[in-house]
Amino acid sequence: LDAGVGSDVSGAYEDSYKQPVWSIVVTGSEPERQGEFSQIVDHTLRKLALTGLDKKMLTAALNRTEFILRENDYQGRPKGLFYGIRAMDMWLYDRDPIEALRYYDDINGLRKAIETDYFEGLLLKYLIKNSHQVLITMKAKKGIDEKKRIEVAEQLDAYKKSLSENQITDIIEKTRVLKERQASVDSEEALTAIPLLRREDLNREIENDEIEDGRIEEIRHFHYDINSNGIVYLNLYFNLEGFSKKDIFYANILTRLLLSMNTVNYEYSELVRQSNAYTGGINFQVGSISNIDSDQKCTPYLIVKGKALVSNADKMVRLLKEVILHTDYTDKIRLREILMEEKANWDMTAFARGHTLCISRLLSYFSETGRYSETTGLSYYYFLSDVVARFDAISDEMISCLQRLAKQIFTRHNLFIHTIGSEEEKTAVNKFLPEMVSEMPDELGPANRETTCPNVVINEAFQTAGKVQYVAKGGNFKRHGFVYTGALRVMETILRYEYLWKKVRVLGGAYGAFTQFMRNGNAVLCSYRDPNLAETLKVYEELPDYLSALVLSEREMTKYVIGTMAAEEIQLTPFMKGERALAYYLTGNTRESRMKIRDEIVNCTIDNIRSLAPLVRSVMDDPYICVMGNEEKIRQNKALFTSILSMPK
């Protein structure tokens, strides 16, 4: 980055192969700088091997690794599955699978090795003296997708001309048989061979999820009491009501700058070292909270999340105070560097998460909560691309805006606190938080307390160089007079694994498709890596007819009820339980309403599902669609869209 070879650099170590692969990647570069990139990497590795790695940084990195291993947080995904995958990485190559699950002795061994030249030896043996290296440059070429499409069409045409009439007839017949099989259902005999729980086996009760509502230094403090294995979780919520849409965009940039720029007292490299050494991670994000049953009013927040062993609670709080209150935003070189890294990351990942970006954009067409959420989506991507392109002209204005925002956001008046842990963790936080809070100003922020996120143009298509689409359609059923019931959750399961699975994935060739009908009335359907566009929209539109004529045996209905309940019973970490409890409290999602929905899920019948057809039709009749995908495919369907846009440059 210092040499200006690229806009971002990243590294990876893939250890699940017979021969592990270590890689370093620079993005935003040019082919003619390949040699310079290679020389910089080689020179830097040799210098580190010769002069030695920073032992404080090694220790901090090892501490973070140990924290991650001890916490074992898989975000609600099944731990057993991940343990199995981890064990398989060794077992596949005739190594002891149980060794993959042990780490205590390895951590201790690596900690002792820091005081030796062990890590420098790794650099020398496995990187510098390793002859099994490859240097690859990948560069986008305009028009290559269209060129390949024409080449394939010509090849297929030539192949068809080489076939006899009998061969062509044979291919057509085999295709017909395949499509018939894909559209068919398994026999009742085959289905009954699969073991199945009974509805009576399902858990009818739910956790209480009570949360304490108190005060620290006159600031509202929510605490969730749970055994967190000696880890204290601290979340700071700063209210962003009253800030303009542009300010919300800059708040997103703030979340990227904090902990990555110098502060009054520390260089950013030292802040990162302290974060690794004393915490399990600190992150910043912009989010929003709204009533569970309404999409018309929500409150945006800048959220700061930190976690640490209870013995390091003081160090975490002091680090947060330093970063939040004393970051120096005036270093233009570093500011440009971070913004270019952020832009490069979006460039690399935007298409891969096109489904989430399309859904967010779609909801912004008709939902107030969706408009807030979209300020972290494609709208932010366009804004970020613009400020990067005009950085030299607007850098002074940007710095001034960031300084103003930091002063207006990080105030006592805007703050509420959320902690997760046992009484010991709560006491530790209560002991040190006043030190941070006392330094915060007590300003009210902007005078206007209603954030403006104006409506965006509806029905957009975003053109990419990809060969597949993300096709989203949705609306709000409550505005048509319908109400939310637990049967909608069961319907989602049926659609995900029956209708959408067959129509969009099996027959349509998409990688996947899913749907969500929310408590606030918002509903979306979206395909994932889909070769089709208009055909998928037609599948969505035919959904009400499918539901009204749906026939399922009691056994099949029970299967879908169990599948729905499985999603309700995922294993949660202490942190996730604490986050859930706060969300329930702030969104008004009461235990009584959750119990009602659970009962409706467990007791759901085929008649309940059929009765949802008019509700789904109301959503399908709403005019909202959003697509990201292939430029040619979008041009072929341009009549569907109000606006067709290229992705940011």
Side-chain angles (χ1 to χ4, degrees):
L1 294 179
D2 291 345
V5 172
S7 57
D8 192 20
V9 63
S10 60
Y13 176 60
E14 302 292 342
D15 63 350
S16 59
Y17 310 126
K18 177 73 171 176
Q19 295 181 340
V21 178
W22 187 92
S23 62
I24 185 166
V25 179
V26 66
T27 56
S29 189
E30 296 295 334
E32 57 268 20
R33 306 200 71 173
Q34 186 190 60
E36 187 180 357
F37 164 66
S38 180
Q39 289 173 4
I40 290 172
V41 172
D42 186 66
H43 172 75
T44 303
L45 293 176
R46 290 177 183 274
K47 182 179 178 182
L48 289 171
L50 183 65
T51 61
L53 292 155
D54 185 329
K55 296 188 184 303
K56 289 184 178 180
M57 293 292 279
L58 281 173
T59 301
L62 190 60
N63 287 344
R64 173 61 67 83
T65 299
E66 182 177 9
F67 188 99
I68 291 169
L69 289 168
R70 287 183 180 277
E71 188 181 32
N72 255 328
D73 184 358
Y74 294 103
Q75 297 297 307
R77 294 170 293 183
K79 279 188 178 182
L81 177 63
F82 282 87
Y83 287 157
I85 292 172
R86 193 186 298 174
M88 192 63 72
D89 288 344
M90 287 194 170
W91 204 1
L92 280 171
Y93 305 113
D94 299 322
R95 298 174 65 188
D96 182 359
I98 303 302
E99 282 299 313
L101 305 180
R102 297 190 176 109
Y103 64 87
Y104 188 78
D105 290 342
D106 288 332
I107 290 289
N108 286 339
L110 290 172
R111 201 175 301 283
K112 292 175 182 176
I114 290 175
E115 300 306 319
T116 71
D117 61 354
Y118 172 77
F119 287 94
E120 289 76 9
L122 292 179
L123 288 179
L124 188 63
K125 179 179 179 180
Y126 291 107
L127 301 181
I128 297 168
K129 291 186 175 181
N130 188 347
S131 61
H132 295 274
Q133 299 184 14
V134 63
L135 184 61
I136 299 173
T137 294
M138 299 178 69
K139 183 179 181 181
K141 184 177 181 181
K142 189 172 179 61
I144 193 171
D145 187 57
E146 178 65 15
K147 180 182 176 183
K148 287 183 176 180
R149 188 187 66 79
I150 293 171
E151 288 175 353
V152 170
E154 291 173 348
Q155 290 170 3
L156 290 173
D157 184 59
Y159 177 68
K160 183 178 180 180
K161 289 177 180 177
S162 72
L163 299 174
S164 66
E165 286 296 325
N166 287 340
Q167 288 173 317
I168 292 175
T169 301
D170 184 55
I171 290 173
I172 293 172
E173 176 59 19
K174 287 179 177 178
T175 303
R176 184 194 66 77
V177 172
L178 172 63
K179 289 187 175 295
E180 188 177 277
R181 176 67 185 93
Q182 289 174 325
S184 66
V185 297
D186 291 319
S187 68
E188 191 67 25
E189 181 182 6
L191 292 172
T192 54
I194 303 171
L196 195 68
L197 292 171
R198 301 171 303 165
R199 296 199 193 203
E200 292 76 19
D201 298 322
L202 300 176
N203 181 16
R204 303 269 178 153
E205 292 300 315
I206 59 176
E207 292 186 73
N208 202 11
D209 285 311
E210 289 186 357
I211 196 162
E212 300 172 18
D213 187 354
R215 296 271 168 177
I216 292 182
E217 295 286 300
E218 298 306 311
I219 293 173
R220 201 171 187 185
H221 173 212
F222 298 102
H223 179 75
Y224 184 73
D225 186 53
I226 190 172
N227 179 7
S228 58
N229 300 316
I231 298 173
V232 57
Y233 296 94
L234 170 62
N235 301 328
L236 308 175
Y237 286 74
F238 293 94
N239 194 316
L240 296 180
E241 276 190 296
F243 291 91
S244 68
K245 186 174 183 180
K246 184 178 179 181
D247 281 347
I248 301 289
F249 287 148
Y250 270 114
N252 274 297
I253 290 178
L254 265 182
T255 66
R256 183 63 181 83
L257 300 179
L258 297 170
L259 205 64
S260 296
M261 295 195 76
N262 297 340
T263 65
V264 173
N265 300 303
Y266 297 100
E267 293 186 355
Y268 70 87
S269 58
E270 174 60 17
L271 297 172
V272 172
R273 187 194 70 78
Q274 287 193 31
S275 176
N276 285 334
Y278 303 125
T279 81
I282 293 173
N283 67 75
F284 310 86
Q285 65 189 73
V286 170
S288 61
I289 298 173
S290 60
N291 184 277
I292 190 71
D293 293 313
S294 172
D295 75 325
Q296 291 306 301
K297 180 70 172 71
C298 72
T299 305
Y301 290 92
L302 192 155
I303 308 164
V304 182
K305 297 186 177 183
K307 53 187 176 182
L309 296 175
V310 67
S311 58
N312 288 326
D314 58 334
K315 297 180 180 66
M316 177 178 67
V317 171
R318 284 164 189 157
L319 180 59
L320 286 173
K321 180 184 73 171
E322 181 69 25
V323 170
I324 290 171
L325 300 179
H326 302 300
T327 292
D328 179 5
Y329 302 99
T330 61
D331 184 344
K332 291 185 181 180
I333 295 175
R334 181 59 182 157
L335 180 58
R336 182 205 294 268
E337 195 174 89
I338 295 170
L339 290 174
M340 290 183 69
E341 289 176 6
E342 173 81 336
K343 170 67 164 51
N345 181 61
W346 269 88
D347 292 340
M348 290 175 63
T349 64
F351 185 70
R353 51 196 178 97
H355 55 302
T356 60
L357 295 175
C358 276
I359 289 173
S360 176
R361 189 75 167 192
L362 176 79
L363 292 173
S364 73
Y365 299 160
F366 55 85
S367 164
E368 183 68 15
T369 59
R371 280 189 277 276
Y372 278 114
S373 297
E374 224 289 305
T375 58
T376 63
L378 283 168
S379 294
Y380 171 64
Y381 186 18
Y382 282 99
F383 175 82
L384 175 66
S385 301
D386 179 63
V387 298
V388 168
R390 298 192 299 124
F391 182 83
D392 289 336
I394 66 171
S395 57
D396 289 333
E397 175 192 340
M398 187 184 304
I399 291 170
S400 176
C401 182
L402 291 169
Q403 290 172 328
R404 171 184 61 81
L405 273 178
K407 289 180 180 178
Q408 290 183 323
I409 292 173
F410 300 125
T411 72
R412 293 166 56 94
H413 180 80
N414 286 337
L415 174 65
F416 77 78
I417 298 163
H418 176 218
T419 54
I420 302 165
S422 65
E423 189 62 30
E424 181 184 6
E425 284 78 49
K426 178 184 177 183
T427 301
V429 172
N430 287 357
K431 180 178 178 181
F432 299 109
L433 266 178
E435 180 182 334
M436 175 174 65
V437 172
S438 63
E439 283 198 34
M440 288 183 180
D442 198 19
E443 299 175 10
L444 295 179
N448 172 28
R449 298 307 293 178
E450 186 173 350
T451 307
T452 54
C453 285
N455 292 334
V456 296
V457 177
I458 69 167
N459 295 3
E460 299 161 301
F462 297 89
Q463 298 178 132
T464 73
K467 296 181 180 180
V468 292
Q469 285 66 244
Y470 302 99
V471 182
K473 180 171 177 59
N476 186 289
F477 58 83
K478 283 193 171 182
R479 294 180 198 169
H480 299 288
F482 296 96
V483 297
Y484 185 90
T485 72
L488 283 165
R489 300 274 269 277
V490 182
M491 182 194 74
E492 288 176 7
T493 306
I494 295 172
L495 298 184
R496 192 175 295 121
Y497 296 113
E498 181 66 31
Y499 181 77
L500 294 176
W501 177 275
K502 286 187 175 179
K503 294 283 189 178
V504 179
R505 177 165 179 156
V506 177
L507 294 172
Y511 196 82
F514 49 89
T515 182
Q516 186 176 13
F517 285 71
M518 308 172 205
R519 284 271 299 270
N520 60 16
N522 291 338
V524 294
L525 293 95
C526 188
S527 61
Y528 182 81
R529 294 188 177 274
D530 187 350
N532 302 308
L533 198 162
E535 298 87 345
T536 298
L537 289 172
K538 188 172 187 296
V539 170
Y540 296 163
E541 290 161 4
E542 292 172 349
L543 174 54
D545 294 334
Y546 164 81
L547 289 171
S548 61
L550 183 62
V551 176
L552 290 173
S553 67
E554 174 56 28
R555 189 178 192 279
E556 285 294 284
M557 271 303 300
T558 298
K559 181 183 73 173
Y560 288 120
V561 167
I562 291 168
T564 304
M565 289 294 290
E568 300 288 311
E569 299 292 335
I570 61 173
Q571 187 179 30
L572 300 180
T573 64
F575 173 72
M576 294 170 70
K577 288 184 177 181
E579 292 259 286
R580 182 181 66 179
L582 181 69
Y584 285 162
Y585 188 87
L586 295 179
T587 61
N589 191 1
T590 65
R591 188 174 190 276
E592 290 71 26
S593 67
R594 301 199 307 274
M595 277 297 301
K596 178 177 179 291
I597 289 170
R598 174 164 289 217
D599 288 340
E600 290 168 346
I601 292 172
V602 174
N603 299 318
C604 184
T605 67
I606 186 64
D607 288 336
N608 295 143
I609 300 298
R610 291 191 193 117
S611 70
L612 296 173
L615 180 153
V616 175
R617 189 176 298 283
S618 74
V619 173
M620 294 302 100
D621 287 344
D622 278 341
Y624 309 114
I625 62 171
C626 182
V627 173
M628 181 186 294
N630 177 264
E631 184 177 350
E632 176 65 21
K633 181 70 73 171
I634 287 173
R635 283 204 302 264
Q636 292 171 3
N637 295 275
K638 63 182 180 181
L640 294 171
F641 306 107
T642 303
S643 177
I644 296 176
L645 304 167
S646 296
M647 296 293 279
K649 301 293 185 185

